[in-house]
Amino acid sequence: MRETVLDHLKKVGLVPVVVMSDAKSAAPAARAMREGGVDVMEITLRTPAGLEALRYAADEGILAGAGTVLSLSQCRQALRAGARFIVSPGFSEDVVEECLSWGVPVLPGCVTPTEIMRAAEKGLDVLKFFPANVYGGMKGIKALSSPFGGIQFVPTGGVDLSNLSEYVHPAVYAVGGSWMCPRALIDAGRFDEITELCRQSVEVLRQARERAV
Ligand code: 3PG
């Protein structure tokens, strides 16, 4: 069976959140990440370079989605620019409906039972959990997964190499964050360090998943 975008996110288990100052940097950043074993990138629309960066990243064969999608118009722009998935910090019915109509996976940020229920009503079962460190981290996710057993989360916010392994749990679909491809390293052209951060993240996750079996 063909691997879907969501299947791929789950397999990689990591969703690097990337902020681009210059769209052209998306190409070397994508190559660096791929070399480190991470071929997924959530390019935020926090900077004007974000939309164009999506195209550069896709040309490097990375699965590039758009993040920080706050409105329907941003969502449409991202989908037209070829975003393979859409991530939003919160739940917007308009954004979710638009993605559903395009058949593109959407991960809205949901941290309360009400938000989760609204997303579930739309048929979604993979949700961003943001900011994870503020909303109780793994403790918060475990508490929510009692009533919402069919939902899996992508915790993002405050995760790094030091606490990544805490998030290996059946209720966690993948883990997101900016630590794998920090803006400062992209801007400084320190792509080798991005490769190394990705490599280490893949290894930490692999070991934690092995221990969890
Ligand atoms: C996001 O948009 O998901 C967050 O900015 C990522 O949070 P982090 O920088 O703490 O990883």
Side-chain angles (χ1 to χ4, degrees):
M1 214 172 79
R2 207 168 72 89
E3 187 189 66
T4 67
V5 169
L6 281 181
D7 290 340
H8 194 71
L9 293 189
K10 188 185 175 93
K11 187 171 85 187
V12 176
L14 297 164
V15 185
V17 175
V18 185
V19 183
M20 292 289 173
S21 306
D22 173 6
K24 290 197 178 73
S25 304
R31 285 197 294 273
M33 291 169 64
R34 278 184 59 186
E35 215 177 304
V38 180
D39 62 356
V40 172
M41 204 178 207
E42 175 194 328
I43 299 176
T44 72
L45 301 190
R46 265 170 240 187
T47 58
L51 280 179
E52 207 189 341
L54 278 168
R55 298 197 181 96
Y56 281 102
D59 286 347
E60 294 299 326
I62 211 160
L63 186 72
T68 321
V69 174
L70 305 177
S71 65
L72 179 59
S73 71
Q74 269 188 325
C75 180
R76 285 186 174 145
Q77 285 179 311
L79 291 165
R80 284 193 209 111
R84 302 285 307 282
F85 59 93
I86 297 287
V87 184
S88 177
F91 180 86
S92 154
E93 190 159 346
D94 286 348
V95 167
V96 168
E97 298 255 324
E98 185 70 9
C99 293
L100 290 175
S101 75
W102 279 62
V104 170
V106 56
L107 288 82
C110 296
V111 292
T112 66
T114 305
E115 290 159 356
I116 294 167
M117 285 168 71
R118 292 190 67 197
E121 278 165 13
K122 298 284 171 198
L124 305 183
D125 55 9
V126 180
L127 307 174
K128 177 167 169 149
F129 185 76
F130 172 78
N133 55 342
V134 175
Y135 285 97
M138 209 44 240
K139 207 172 159 198
I141 291 175
K142 279 182 193 161
L144 288 165
S145 60
S146 300
F148 300 112
I151 302 287
Q152 284 183 299
F153 297 92
V154 180
T156 311
V159 186
D160 58 24
L161 273 174
S162 72
N163 59 4
L164 169 61
S165 57
E166 290 170 21
Y167 287 96
V168 171
H169 185 275
V172 172
Y173 198 78
V175 184
S178 61
W179 85 89
M180 290 165 272
C181 190
R183 184 178 190 176
L185 290 186
I186 303 174
D187 291 350
R190 287 155 60 189
F191 296 108
D192 289 356
E193 289 170 61
I194 292 172
T195 299
E196 194 46 37
L197 283 169
C198 289
R199 203 169 269 149
Q200 287 174 11
S201 303
V202 167
E203 187 53 22
V204 167
L205 186 67
R206 190 189 64 75
Q207 287 181 14
R209 280 177 166 177
E210 249 177 46
R211 280 196 303 273
V213 174

